[in-house]
Amino acid sequence: MNSKWIAVASLAVIVLGGCRAAHQPPVFSKHQSNQGNGVLLSNSGQAQTSQQRAHSARQVGFQQAITGGDASLIQESPSDIPIRSVDTPGLQSDGHGTSLDQIEQMALATSPAVSEVRAEIESLRGKLTQAGLPPNPTAGINGDDINEDGGSGRYGVYFGREIVRGNKLGLSRSVVCAEIAAAEQRLVVIEQRLFTDVRQAYYDLLVAQETIVMTEELVRISQNAVDVSKQLVEAKEAARTSVLQSELELQNALVVNRRAENQRLAARRKLAGLLGEAELSLDYVDGNAREILELQDFEQSFDELVNGSPEVAALFAEVEQKRRQLARACVEAIPNVTWQTTLQYGTVTEDLVAGFQIGMPIPTIDRNQGAIYQARHEIVAAERRTEKRVLDLRQRLASAYERYLDARLQVDAYESEIKPKAKETLDLVTQGYQQGEIDFLQLLTAQRTYSQINLTYLEQLQLAWRQNIEIKGMLLSGSLE
C-alpha cells in the first residue's frame, strides 16, 4: 500500500513538472511599418518656275519645322508665317503620374531587404523572451539500499532546481535589448539605402522621360531637313550632297533617340527591381526635375551627416551592445546555487526519510576571465570602428560633394548662359531665314544645336540630382547588396 502511494506521488510530481515545462512564451505580433499632309500653295494658279518652287520648298520646310507637319498652320503668304522656336519641354509634369511619395511607400511595402531585417528583429524578440526564463526545476524518483540484507531498500521522490544569482537573467535580457536596438538601427540604414536607390531611379526615369521628348524633337527636325533638301535638289537649288548630309544627321538623331529609349527602359527596370516587380507597372512618374534642393556648405553638410547618419547610430548601438555583454560576462563567475530535497520510504523499517542537498561550483579556476578579456577588447574594436566610419564618411562626402558642385556648376551655366544664348541664336537665324538672308539648312542646324544643348543640359541635371540625393541620403545606397 505504501509503495503504491509512493508511485502515485512520484507520478504527480512528474506530471506537474511536465505541465510547467509545456508552457509557451508569448507570441509577438509581426512588426508593421508604416509612392493632313502639307499642301504647297502659290499666289497664282499658273505653273511655278524652278525659283518659285525652291522658294516654296523653303517656306514649306520652315513651316513643317515649326508646326510639326500640321497643315492647318501653313499660310499662303510668306510674310504671314508664324514664328515659333524650339523650346525645352517642361520638366514639370501635368500631375497625372505617380508621385515620388507613392513610389517610396510601394518600395517599403515590397522590399525584401526591409522585410529581412524586420524578420530579424522579430526573431530577437523571441530571443529576448527566452533570455529571461529561469532554468526548469527537476523532479524524479530514486531508490537506495536495494536488496540489502534481502530487503527491497528505500524508494522515494526528489525535487530540485537551480537558483540563478548575480542578476544573470536580467543582464542577459539587457544584452538582447541592445541587439534589438542595433537591429532597429540596421533597419533604418536599409530603409535609407532603399530611399536613396528609389529616389535616384525615380529622377533617372523623370529625366529620361524628358530626354525622350527632346530626342523626338531632334528626329523631327532632322527628318524635315531631309525632306526639304530633297525638294531643293528637285528644284535644282541645292546639290545632292545636302541630301546626304541631312540623311546622316537624321541617322545620328535616330541613334540618339534609341539611346534615350534605352535609358528610359533601364531606369524603368531598375525602379521595378526596387519595387519587387518584374516589369514596372507605372506608365509615368510625376515630378519637377528643375527644382534641385540646395545643399549647405561642406562643413555643415558633414555635421548634419554625422549627427543624422543611421550608419553611425548603428555603430553606437553596437558599442552599447558590447558594453552590456561585458557586464554580463563579469557576473558569469558568480556561482548559481542548486538545491534538491528528497522523500523516501523504507520498506524494511516502514519509515519515511526526508533529505536535502545544496551545492554550487567553486570559482577557483574558471572565473570567466577569458570571456571578460574578450568583451573588453570587443568594446575597443567597436569604438574604433565608429571613429573609422566617421572619417570614412568625411572622405566619401568630400568626393560626392565635389561631383555635386561640378554637376551643379554646369547646370547653372547652361541655365544662365548657354541655353539663353543658344535660344537667342536660334531666334536670330529664324528671323534671317524669314528675310531670305539665311537658307533653310542653316536654320535646321541652329535648331539641332539648340536641341543638343538641351540634351546635354538634361544629362548634367541628372548627374546633379544623383549626387544631391546621395548626399541627402546620408551617402547610403545599394539596398539590395
Side-chain angles (χ1 to χ4, degrees):
M1 182 66 183
N2 290 332
S3 299
K4 294 182 180 180
W5 178 85
I6 294 175
V8 172
S10 301
L11 180 61
V13 169
I14 294 174
V15 170
L16 289 176
C19 292
R20 293 190 177 183
H23 178 69
Q24 299 296 326
V27 179
F28 292 90
S29 61
K30 184 177 180 181
H31 178 70
Q32 303 293 335
S33 68
N34 337 12
Q35 164 208 226
N37 296 331
V39 180
L40 184 61
L41 300 176
S42 63
N43 291 331
S44 65
Q46 299 176 353
Q48 295 176 320
T49 65
S50 61
Q51 183 178 3
Q52 289 173 328
R53 287 196 300 271
H55 177 74
S56 298
R58 292 190 185 95
Q59 301 303 328
V60 171
F62 172 67
Q63 294 169 54
Q64 289 177 344
I66 64 176
T67 64
D70 189 352
S72 64
L73 296 180
I74 296 180
Q75 308 293 326
E76 293 187 3
S77 174
S79 61
D80 295 333
I81 295 176
I83 299 177
R84 174 185 162 192
S85 60
V86 180
D87 292 327
T88 304
L91 296 183
Q92 187 170 6
S93 66
D94 55 5
H96 297 298
T98 305
S99 67
L100 177 58
D101 290 339
Q102 293 173 318
I103 296 175
E104 288 177 351
Q105 293 303 316
M106 293 170 59
L108 276 180
T110 60
S111 172
V114 173
S115 300
E116 177 186 3
V117 180
R118 287 176 178 169
E120 291 178 0
I121 293 175
E122 292 305 312
S123 69
L124 289 174
R125 297 185 189 279
K127 183 179 180 181
L128 176 63
T129 300
Q130 189 64 36
L133 298 178
N136 290 323
T138 59
I141 58 177
N142 59 6
D144 291 326
D145 300 333
I146 300 175
N147 289 328
E148 183 179 356
D149 297 333
S152 299
R154 295 193 301 272
Y155 298 90
V157 297
Y158 68 88
F159 181 84
R161 66 176 306 169
E162 180 182 5
I163 299 176
V164 180
R165 301 174 62 232
N167 192 28
K168 294 187 182 74
L169 296 179
L171 291 175
S172 296
R173 289 178 58 87
S174 176
V175 171
V176 180
C177 287
E179 289 186 52
I180 293 176
E184 289 174 342
Q185 288 299 326
R186 291 198 302 272
L187 176 61
V188 177
V189 171
I190 290 297
E191 289 177 343
Q192 185 58 65
R193 290 184 186 274
L194 178 63
F195 286 147
T196 300
D197 292 343
V198 167
R199 289 164 186 169
Q200 287 184 337
Y202 163 82
Y203 279 101
D204 286 348
L205 182 54
L206 182 63
V207 174
Q209 291 175 169
E210 306 303 332
T211 305
I212 290 294
V213 176
M214 183 58 64
T215 56
E216 289 174 348
E217 179 74 8
L218 183 59
V219 169
R220 185 181 65 81
I221 292 174
S222 300
Q223 183 63 60
N224 287 333
V226 173
D227 296 340
V228 172
S229 297
K230 291 180 179 180
Q231 293 174 9
L232 292 175
V233 170
E234 292 175 359
K236 301 185 184 305
E237 289 292 320
R240 173 65 179 166
T241 55
S242 63
V243 176
L244 297 176
Q245 182 65 34
S246 61
E247 288 177 344
L248 288 175
E249 292 289 342
L250 174 60
Q251 290 302 317
N252 182 67
L254 289 173
V255 170
V256 173
N257 179 254
R258 293 192 188 102
R259 289 180 60 188
E261 289 284 358
N262 293 337
Q263 179 184 356
R264 180 174 65 174
L265 180 60
R268 288 175 59 87
R269 286 173 174 171
K270 290 179 182 178
L271 190 56
L274 294 170
L275 297 179
E277 300 178 2
E279 294 291 338
L280 187 63
S281 58
L282 308 175
D283 294 331
Y284 185 76
V285 294
D286 180 29
N288 186 354
R290 284 182 177 174
E291 296 180 354
I292 300 180
L293 300 176
E294 292 290 342
L295 294 178
Q296 300 174 344
D297 62 45
F298 178 80
E299 293 300 333
Q300 290 178 331
S301 297
F302 176 70
D303 291 341
E304 180 180 340
L305 173 61
V306 173
N307 293 328
S309 173
E311 276 187 304
V312 176
L315 289 174
F316 275 119
E318 182 183 357
V319 172
E320 178 62 24
Q321 177 185 343
K322 298 299 182 183
R323 288 173 177 167
R324 296 188 184 188
Q325 287 176 347
L326 174 61
R328 176 62 180 81
C330 289
V331 300
E332 182 64 26
I334 299 177
N336 296 338
V337 175
T338 302
W339 62 267
Q340 179 176 301
T341 182
T342 61
L343 181 64
Q344 292 182 321
Y345 172 75
T347 57
V348 176
T349 61
E350 296 185 352
D351 293 331
L352 286 176
V353 180
F356 73 92
Q357 63 181 12
I358 299 177
M360 66 179 183
I362 302 174
T364 57
I365 301 175
D366 181 4
R367 299 185 303 278
N368 207 38
Q369 59 268 34
I372 294 174
Y373 184 86
Q374 176 186 358
R376 284 174 176 168
H377 285 80
E378 285 181 350
I379 294 175
V380 176
E383 291 175 342
R384 298 296 87 80
R385 279 195 296 271
T386 304
E387 296 173 3
K388 184 179 70 172
R389 183 54 55 86
V390 172
L391 296 177
D392 177 63
L393 286 177
R394 188 174 182 87
Q395 295 293 325
R396 289 159 54 192
L397 178 63
S399 299
Y401 204 85
E402 178 186 7
R403 293 191 296 268
Y404 166 76
L405 291 179
D406 289 343
R408 188 58 189 264
L409 178 65
Q410 296 186 61
V411 169
D412 292 341
Y414 271 90
E415 289 181 344
S416 61
E417 296 290 339
I418 300 177
K419 286 178 57 183
K421 289 182 178 180
K423 178 66 167 56
E424 182 180 1
T425 300
L426 178 60
D427 292 339
L428 293 175
V429 172
T430 301
Q431 294 176 7
Y433 176 78
Q434 284 188 304
Q435 296 172 4
E437 299 174 356
I438 297 176
D439 60 30
F440 179 67
L441 292 181
Q442 288 178 290
L443 172 65
L444 292 182
T445 299
Q447 290 177 325
R448 282 195 299 272
T449 301
Y450 184 73
S451 297
Q452 291 168 347
I453 286 176
N454 279 280
L455 287 176
T456 305
Y457 164 73
L458 290 175
E459 292 176 358
Q460 297 303 319
L461 188 64
Q462 179 183 2
L463 291 176
W465 264 116
R466 292 190 67 85
Q467 299 307 316
N468 183 285
I469 292 171
E470 182 179 357
I471 295 174
K472 288 290 186 181
M474 306 295 175
L475 304 180
L476 291 171
S477 60
S479 60
L480 299 180
E481 295 179 358

